[in-house]
Amino acid sequence: MDNAIFFIGLDDTDHIDLGCTTENFNDFLNYLAEKINFSIISRRLVRLWPFANRRTRGNAALSAVIKLNINCENKLYDVSDDWFQLLLSNISSHPSSNLEASPVLIISKSQFSEQIYWDTVKGHVDLNFRLNEIKKYDCKVYAGKSHWGVIGASAAISWIPSENHSYELIAWRKSSMIGKKRIIDMKTVAELDNNFPETFVNRDPTKNRGLIAPRTPCPVLYGIRGKSPDILENAHKWLQSNKNVEKSSDYAVHCTNQLSDDHVTLSSGTVISKPLISKGAHSSVKVIMDGKLNTLVAFSQGGSVNHLLRSLNPGDIICWTGLYSPSDLSIHLEKLTISDAVPRIISRPLCCNISMKSAGNNQNLRCTKCNSYSEKYWRGYIPIFSNIDMIHNWTEPSPSNRRHLSKPLNLGLPLLNNLIP
Ligand SMILES: [Zn+2]
């Protein structure tokens, strides 16, 4: 009996107010399991470029690597087609929306080039370009009227877990509960955090807010993140044994690119303007990076990143991670540090408890009280940004204001190798 490996990807199945590709994909694997024998080698949840036009919520796509007897190959395609037709009919009953689901399921006999993943996590991908790109692979593509889902589905197949990968256990709600308030209290989430220290991003201590349960009407009950599948299963069993926690209908552990920083590159530059602080509480500053002018923007949700940006002075050398926004042509900051600050000027030297004044060009400073003279100089200091919440001089937003893809500083600092401004 010869076994073969198949890579399966799915994306663009959900409506802005209902459904979730994670649940659809779980449903697909359950449907398949009822009809054919196969084993799952790996399940993957891949987050993609946060500025993609067609994203619904977290811009996630799903994939799995499965193994089955090669004689079942045609059966796999037939059963997948049956399921896909059911999905299409299900989607046709969605309420109308300006972002209609455009599901695509791909089954491939080989993994796609990793470049497909990198292109899709870091920037915009043209649909026709991608459709052409995957033609060279021996794969089946299931689609309805439109093919938008091919972008995420192909990216999910092409992702190769790096050392930056982590896991997320997703538990789904019983259908009778969807739309109702999720039953998971803050006290239990805090206990989860204490009892399972190898799980992460369970809550935002700065806001006393749980982060495992979504706030949308989707079918996900909660997601627990961590470094190993075993720990997540134990944490899930513990939660489900707790009488204050809603019972899930099903769950699965996914290997994921969340918390990897794969979507950003580390950059460095010199500040050349005073920060501009707008009424909407966001702020911006001009920088020179690789000889080119750029604008860096921090939003009020950026918290300490926004505070640090506001304290910058022209001449400061800074490092950051951020995303270039195609809508306002600026870089939206995620993490920020000052690698070399210019001295801040306080005042002219003091005499008789007041600042001395310049008497004009090429003149000394003079005290207006006692008439003493002094050479011209400024009093200044090198700033230490100790008032800002920082880890090894880097600052980031609070956990509830970070993207799924952003790596928290306590899981590792951005690498500063080879960075010379
Ligand atoms: Zn004086």
Side-chain angles (χ1 to χ4, degrees), residues 100-313:
E100 303 271 337
S102 170
V104 170
L105 175 75
I106 302 177
I107 303 181
S108 174
K109 290 170 91 169
S110 61
Q111 185 157 37
F112 295 167
S113 154
E114 196 182 1
Q115 192 58 42
I116 287 182
Y117 164 68
W118 288 109
D119 291 346
T120 326
V121 76
K122 283 189 184 289
H124 170 77
V125 172
D126 180 77
L127 175 61
N128 287 320
F129 180 82
R130 177 59 49 83
L131 284 167
N132 266 322
E133 215 176 357
I134 64 165
K135 271 185 188 156
K136 64 178 173 217
Y137 297 99
D138 186 5
C139 66
K140 291 249 185 290
V141 177
Y142 304 82
K145 293 191 296 268
S146 56
H147 284 76
W148 290 107
V150 83
I151 296 174
S154 57
I157 286 179
S158 64
W159 178 56
I160 298 172
S162 66
E163 62 181 69
N164 258 340
H165 75 269
S166 59
Y167 293 88
E168 177 161 356
L169 181 147
I170 295 180
W172 294 280
R173 310 186 76 185
K174 294 178 178 166
S175 53
S176 59
M177 293 302 288
I178 293 170
K180 295 180 186 157
K181 194 178 181 309
R182 290 174 179 84
I183 308 164
I184 307 166
D185 64 333
M186 199 42 225
K187 192 172 149 274
T188 312
V189 177
E191 279 174 33
L192 168 79
D193 211 44
N194 286 328
N195 296 351
F196 299 91
E198 283 159 300
T199 59
F200 32 70
V201 217
N202 295 318
R203 61 198 183 114
D204 186 343
T206 65
K207 294 191 167 64
N208 192 34
R209 186 174 160 183
L211 295 176
I212 64 171
R215 278 164 176 74
T216 59
C218 79
V220 172
L221 176 58
Y222 53 71
I224 323 167
R225 284 151 285 210
K227 207 62 197 165
S228 103
D230 297 348
I231 286 154
L232 295 181
E233 296 223 22
N234 290 340
H236 170 67
K237 282 175 189 150
W238 177 83
L239 273 178
Q240 287 292 303
S241 70
N242 194 310
K243 64 180 188 317
N244 299 320
V245 174
E246 184 178 323
K247 299 292 167 273
S248 67
S249 60
D250 200 0
Y251 76 94
V253 178
H254 305 80
C255 186
T256 170
N257 68 337
Q258 290 172 163
L259 316 173
S260 66
D261 262 355
D262 278 358
H263 62 311
V264 291
T265 30
L266 180 61
S267 308
S268 163
T270 307
V271 177
I272 57 153
S273 75
K274 288 251 180 215
L276 203 70
I277 296 161
S278 87
K279 268 195 182 152
H282 69 271
S283 43
S284 67
V285 78
K286 305 272 183 208
V287 293
I288 294 285
M289 173 178 102
D290 297 332
K292 291 194 192 84
L293 182 65
N294 278 284
T295 304
L296 303 185
V297 177
F299 294 90
S300 59
Q301 301 91 316
S304 56
V305 174
N306 195 13
H307 289 142
L308 184 57
L309 186 136
R310 287 166 182 225
S311 68
L312 295 176
N313 267 22

